[in-house]
């Protein structure tokens, strides 16, 4: 799933990384950082000069992750996810704050909350909202409360840009935990 993209980057991506760095370096709370990073990401989405052709390549069996930038101090990473129609994630949460913006295509996100075990039943996931994000749409979140499943819900390739408050080049993924609990 993870590829190390060649060091080549676009001028636009280099500018975006600089804008993200200026927010992250402020050391704000994770939810505020995600919000402000999202504001920086949005104007770059949908532009033809954001990604190289190699960074737009998909994989036949699963969505493909291209690591575009990992900050040397580990404070953030920028990733492009390329999805063929119908490809999806498992239900998961994340290791850090995250911003996701749709560059092209459409992604559906099903959000969940964790319902704790009771005397009558075990823990389960309760679907709380389904959101369809199209080109230019941005969402951000910070744990806890970031349990979701994402899929390409359009008939063409979808590409989304993700910024994580962690070193994804070192970790390999932003996923903290995959959930296999029953869902309501």
């Amino acid at each position: 799933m993870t590829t190390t993209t060649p060091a080549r980057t676009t001028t636009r991506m280099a500018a975006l990384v600089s804008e993200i760095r200026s927010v992250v370096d402020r050391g704000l709370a994770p939810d505020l950082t995600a919000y402000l990073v999202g504001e920086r990401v949005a104007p770059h989405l949908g532009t033809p000069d954001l990604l190289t052709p190699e960074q737009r390549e998909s994989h036949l069996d699963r969505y493909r992750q291209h690591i575009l930038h990992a900050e040397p101090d580990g404070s953030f990473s920028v990733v492009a996810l390329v999805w063929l129609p119908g490809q999806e994630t498992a239900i998961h949460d994340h290791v850090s704050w995250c911003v996701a913006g749709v560059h092209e295509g459409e992604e559906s996100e099903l959000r969940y909350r964790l319902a704790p075990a009771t005397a009558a039943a075990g823990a389960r996931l309760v679907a709380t909202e389904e959101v369809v994000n199209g080109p230019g749409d941005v969402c951000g979140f910070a744990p806890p409360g970031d349990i979701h499943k994402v899929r390409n819900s359009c008939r063409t390739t979808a590409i989304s840009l993700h910024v994580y408050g962690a070193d994804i080049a070192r970790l390999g993924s932003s996923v903290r935990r995959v959930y296999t609990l029953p869902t309501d």
Side-chain angles (χ1 to χ4, degrees), residues 11-181:
T11 301
R12 182 176 289 275
M13 181 57 67
L16 175 55
V17 166
S18 179
E19 292 174 40
I20 294 167
R21 183 179 298 120
S22 71
V23 171
V24 172
D25 284 351
R26 293 170 63 186
L28 302 170
D31 56 342
L32 182 55
T33 298
Y35 176 80
L36 294 172
V37 167
E39 286 186 331
R40 301 319 186 274
V41 168
H44 297 277
L45 297 172
T47 59
D49 58 342
L50 182 63
L51 302 173
T52 67
E54 297 83 10
Q55 295 163 344
R56 300 172 52 83
E57 291 178 359
S58 62
H59 191 283
L60 288 177
D61 298 330
R62 61 191 178 280
Y63 68 93
R64 186 169 183 184
Q65 173 180 280
H66 297 275
I67 298 173
L68 307 176
H69 176 82
E71 192 70 355
D73 68 2
S75 60
F76 73 91
S77 300
V78 182
V79 173
L81 296 183
V82 182
W83 315 72
L84 293 177
Q87 291 179 336
E88 64 185 12
T89 68
I91 300 171
H92 66 282
D93 63 7
H94 294 270
V95 297
S96 68
W97 60 265
C98 175
V99 170
V102 177
H103 184 59
E104 67 182 53
E106 185 176 275
E107 294 176 357
S108 293
E109 176 188 16
L110 185 54
R111 298 174 183 170
Y112 297 89
R113 72 174 172 80
L114 180 61
T118 65
R124 67 190 191 292
L125 294 171
V126 177
T128 60
E129 181 178 23
E130 183 162 14
V131 178
V132 177
N133 296 304
D137 289 340
V138 176
C139 63
F141 51 81
D146 61 321
I147 303 170
H148 67 165
K149 177 179 185 171
V150 181
R151 70 181 173 84
N152 175 349
S153 57
C154 65
R155 295 183 186 152
T156 62
T157 298
I159 300 175
S160 51
L161 195 70
H162 297 243
V163 183
Y164 301 107
D167 185 346
I168 302 307
R170 183 179 62 80
L171 297 174
S173 170
S174 68
V175 173
R176 178 172 69 128
R177 157 176 62 190
V178 171
Y179 291 83
T180 56
L181 294 170

